[in-house]
Amino acid sequence: MPDAPTWPAGFAERYRAAGHWRGETFGGVLSERAAAHPDRVAVVDPAPERRSWTYRELDERASRLAAGFAARGISPGDRVVVQLPNIAEFVEVVFALFRVGALPVYALPAHRETEIGYFCAFTEAVAYVVPDRHAGFDHVALASRVKERTPTLKHVFVVGSPGPHTALSEVPRTPSGTVHEPRSDDLAFLQLSGGTTGVPKLIPRTHDDYIYSLRGSNEICGVDADTRFLVLLPAAHNFPMSSPGWLGALYAGGTAVLCPSPDPATAFPLVERERVTMTGMVPPLALVWTEAGPGTEHDLSSLELVLVGGAKYSEAAARRLEPALGCRLMQVFGMAEGLVNYTRLDDDHETVVTTQGRPISEDDEVLLVDDAGEDVPEGGFGHLLTRGPYTIRGYWRAPEHNTRAFTEDGFYRTGDIVRRTPTGHLVVEGRAKDQINRGGEKIAPEEIENIILGHPSVHDVSVVGVADEYLGERTLAYVVLREGAEPLKPVAVKRLVRERGVAAYKVPDLVEFVEAFPQTGIGKVSKKGLRSEAAPAGTVPDRH
Ligand code: OOB
């Protein structure tokens, strides 16, 4: 059985014939750019002291490291969990893996032992790449614990002091013979899904499909060789990677400027010094930038375009961004599974502030259906289903889940509730999936519920999102205690989740003890009921 369903031959032929899939690979693109303009700057990493790599340097580094990885036994198709912050080595490592034909599995810096242990075990990863420390956390110690319990994991490569592992800088860098050249329809990497289930699903993306999404994004956003894209969000996330992101900037021969932290105190001086032209951010961060922009002593005049997406951006906030930052706004509504929508540079202002854009491609098929799967009338709300040249046909090694997440004819059920304007722009109205969107960070309630249920005093638990002015939503855990159990404090529930070793953003913001959950008609716990208890009517973010 293949690891993941792919596009049926007829669709693949169509996407090739249309010129969407051009047979390019990431490794090949980098070589071509390095040959065409070797001395242009590809990557700037400002911390702790400024480093910048030209296309020639990045290309050479990636090739040498690819040879080193190959010499260490990393082979085509092998999985390698990459958990690096926004540093130049991130770019070097992933291009080296692309060249080997090994698949990076993109973990976020916030992930901890539970998530990393799962990624390594589930993907049977042969290697794990980490920083020594980041944000006060000891990744070397975490890597040791994960390596101990993951039999497939042969290597841990560390940027910095390696402890008992291998320093990335010690991997032999002498090219040794030929390195395997992947095909453009091979998988390039595994991206993480936001998730609605107990464990995140993995998203298999090919060179062909992802590069098409980059080319389409670049065209829409006006990315070219003069673009200097600031990577504010974690570089492993799909949004800063490809919308148009650091990979888009590199595809166009521009420059990716890596930002260690997205706050204005760190980022504004970088915008000024590096003459940044474009960046992307989630709505809560856009609020912070909008507040800080007008009073700043830093020169932000190089900034031409800011993309905002990942969660719903309120119209009121959207109206304030352009005057505050002196640049254009573009809304983006995308998903790591594929489909990405952008407002356009030639859209009128009202469209930019009131919609989440329209699809990249004329071959993106978008259906809006009701609960019974019937098309909704034009202008009505519906479940968004999609299929197209850069939307996956199934998750990696998840055949059972795929039967629910995709229709029989290959449409991905996004779980989003949207409506379509007469111009074809989508407006996100809510969500049907059991997921919390905490300022762009996605949380699967089931994952947290399973942890809390492990406590001996807990009879039942339900984790829901409640409206929050700044984050859009934050998390609330309703807990029913066992009869006669020791009373618990909210802080103990939070500690339990934290100590289980999951990303800090998944720790419930609020914990409330209740006698019983509201019931639905069929006797199941009603998450909708729980949300409307917690938030005044009209502010409930979801419709289902
Ligand atoms: C991006 O990707 P993911 O995979 O972390 O999350 C996808 C989900 C969407 O299904 C939707 O529920 C939500 O995030 N979302 C938005 C949104 N953008 C994403 N909801 C409302 N308004 C928006 N503008 O989040 C992502 C991937 C590529 C580009 C941008 C965002």
Side-chain angles (χ1 to χ4, degrees):
M1 163 116 82
D3 286 328
T6 184
W7 292 267
F11 282 89
E13 276 158 30
R14 215 174 87 201
Y15 298 151
R16 279 194 200 97
H20 302 330
W21 296 357
R22 297 192 182 164
E24 294 174 305
T25 62
F26 286 106
V29 166
L30 179 59
S31 309
E32 281 172 26
R33 302 298 177 268
H37 42 72
D39 297 324
R40 239 188 241 158
V41 174
V43 181
V44 175
D45 175 348
E49 70 265 341
R50 187 180 188 278
R51 289 185 289 166
S52 86
W53 293 343
T54 62
Y55 276 86
R56 182 199 288 120
E57 285 168 323
L58 177 60
D59 184 49
E60 283 176 7
R61 280 175 174 274
S63 282
R64 289 202 302 264
L65 186 56
F69 281 154
R72 293 265 168 155
I74 295 176
S75 310
D78 281 351
R79 276 76 60 193
V80 175
V81 175
V82 178
Q83 187 186 28
L84 291 174
N86 293 358
I87 55 175
E89 286 81 357
F90 188 113
V91 182
E92 178 186 19
V93 165
V94 301
F95 272 101
L97 294 172
F98 291 152
R99 288 229 160 116
V100 175
L103 310 182
V105 180
Y106 295 126
L108 296 172
H111 286 138
R112 292 294 177 260
E113 192 163 346
T114 297
E115 292 105 343
I116 298 295
Y118 173 75
F119 301 147
C120 289
F122 182 68
T123 67
E124 300 168 286
V126 300
Y128 173 35
V129 189
V130 290
D132 49 5
R133 291 186 76 78
H134 177 65
F137 184 77
D138 183 351
H139 286 269
V140 171
L142 170 66
S144 298
R145 294 197 297 276
V146 171
K147 185 156 185 277
E148 188 123 303
R149 64 174 162 115
T150 316
T152 57
L153 199 59
K154 296 194 208 80
H155 308 281
V156 171
F157 300 110
V158 183
V159 177
S161 309
H165 309 297
T166 308
L168 189 73
S169 57
E170 282 165 19
V171 176
R173 306 295 174 112
T174 333
S176 55
T178 49
V179 168
H180 164 87
E181 270 296 318
R183 291 163 43 128
S184 66
D185 57 357
D186 284 343
L187 293 187
F189 56 80
L190 298 176
Q191 182 62 271
L192 306 183
S193 73
T196 54
T197 51
V199 287
K201 298 289 175 279
L202 295 171
I203 297 170
R205 303 289 301 256
T206 64
H207 295 265
D208 271 332
D209 91 74
Y210 210 67
I211 289 177
Y212 172 51
S213 82
L214 295 179
R215 217 173 32 245
S217 298
N218 281 354
E219 215 167 282
I220 290 164
C221 303
V223 176
D224 60 23
D226 295 324
T227 297
R228 300 175 67 77
F229 187 90
L230 186 67
V231 187
L232 285 176
L233 304 174
H237 192 284
N238 198 60
F239 175 18
M241 188 179 294
S242 64
S243 292
W246 56 273
L247 274 177
L250 295 179
Y251 186 83
T255 302
V257 180
L258 303 171
C259 197
S261 159
D263 57 275
T266 309
F268 283 7
L270 263 184
V271 170
E272 174 176 321
R273 193 181 74 200
E274 303 296 338
R275 307 300 296 154
V276 166
T277 62
M278 198 180 291
T279 189
M281 60 187 82
V282 289
L285 189 59
L287 289 178
V288 174
W289 277 52
T290 300
E291 285 299 310
T296 182
E297 66 199 29
H298 294 287
D299 176 7
L300 305 182
S301 63
S302 57
L303 210 50
E304 293 163 6
L305 181 66
V306 168
L307 292 109
V308 179
K312 182 76 185 248
Y313 193 32
S314 82
E315 182 188 329
R319 287 191 189 281
R320 295 204 305 269
L321 184 132
E322 291 190 345
L325 297 176
C327 66
R328 300 286 303 274
L329 164 69
M330 187 180 278
Q331 292 208 47
V332 49
F333 160 43
M335 54 207 72
E337 285 80 358
L339 181 72
V340 182
N341 304 276
Y342 295 97
T343 57
R344 299 298 200 265
L345 289 171
D346 58 3
D347 278 342
D348 60 71
H349 185 64
E350 286 307 298
T351 302
V352 173
V353 296
T354 59
T355 80
Q356 282 66 60
R358 58 185 174 84
I360 290 178
S361 173
E362 68 274 17
D363 282 324
D364 281 320
E365 298 172 70
V366 163
L367 298 179
L368 301 192
V369 301
D370 62 18
D371 289 349
E374 300 297 323
D375 289 345
V376 299
E378 207 43 60
F381 300 112
H383 297 269
L384 170 63
L385 310 184
T386 186
R387 141 182 118 168
Y390 60 96
T391 297
I392 57 164
R393 292 301 188 110
Y395 293 101
W396 196 77
R397 294 190 183 171
E400 209 242 328
H401 182 70
N402 285 339
T403 61
R404 290 190 299 274
F406 294 82
T407 66
E408 263 172 27
D409 45 9
F411 281 85
Y412 167 56
R413 301 181 197 275
T414 66
D416 293 310
I417 306 285
V418 307
R419 75 184 156 81
R420 192 168 22 206
T421 69
T423 51
H425 290 72
L426 301 180
V427 179
V428 182
E429 296 287 355
R431 207 174 42 219
K433 54 190 166 188
D434 194 15
Q435 182 182 80
I436 298 166
N437 190 335
R438 189 180 182 277
E441 285 179 312
K442 313 305 183 314
I443 299 163
E446 189 181 326
E447 188 182 348
I448 308 310
E449 289 165 357
N450 288 343
I451 297 173
I452 299 174
L453 274 175
H455 193 283
S457 297
V458 172
H459 170 65
D460 206 353
V461 59
S462 188
V463 174
V464 300
V466 292
D468 181 80
E469 203 183 334
Y470 170 62
L471 289 169
E473 279 172 77
R474 55 188 179 151
T475 47
L476 167 58
Y478 282 106
V479 179
V480 180
L481 293 175
R482 277 188 203 288
E483 250 172 71
E486 282 286 301
L488 268 181
K489 288 212 168 76
V491 63
V493 175
K494 295 185 189 186
R495 198 183 320 122
L496 171 73
V497 177
R498 194 173 306 114
E499 285 177 355
R500 177 60 80 84
V502 296
Y505 65 81
K506 297 180 185 173
V507 175
D509 295 298
L510 302 162
V511 177
E512 264 185 46
F513 296 98
V514 289
E515 294 287 316
F517 303 135
Q519 305 285 306
T520 61
I522 51 161
K524 229 176 125 228
V525 169
S526 162
K527 295 225 163 184
K528 186 181 177 189
L530 288 176
R531 274 191 294 263
S532 48
E533 260 185 17
T539 63
V540 182
D542 293 4
R543 302 207 157 228
H544 284 243

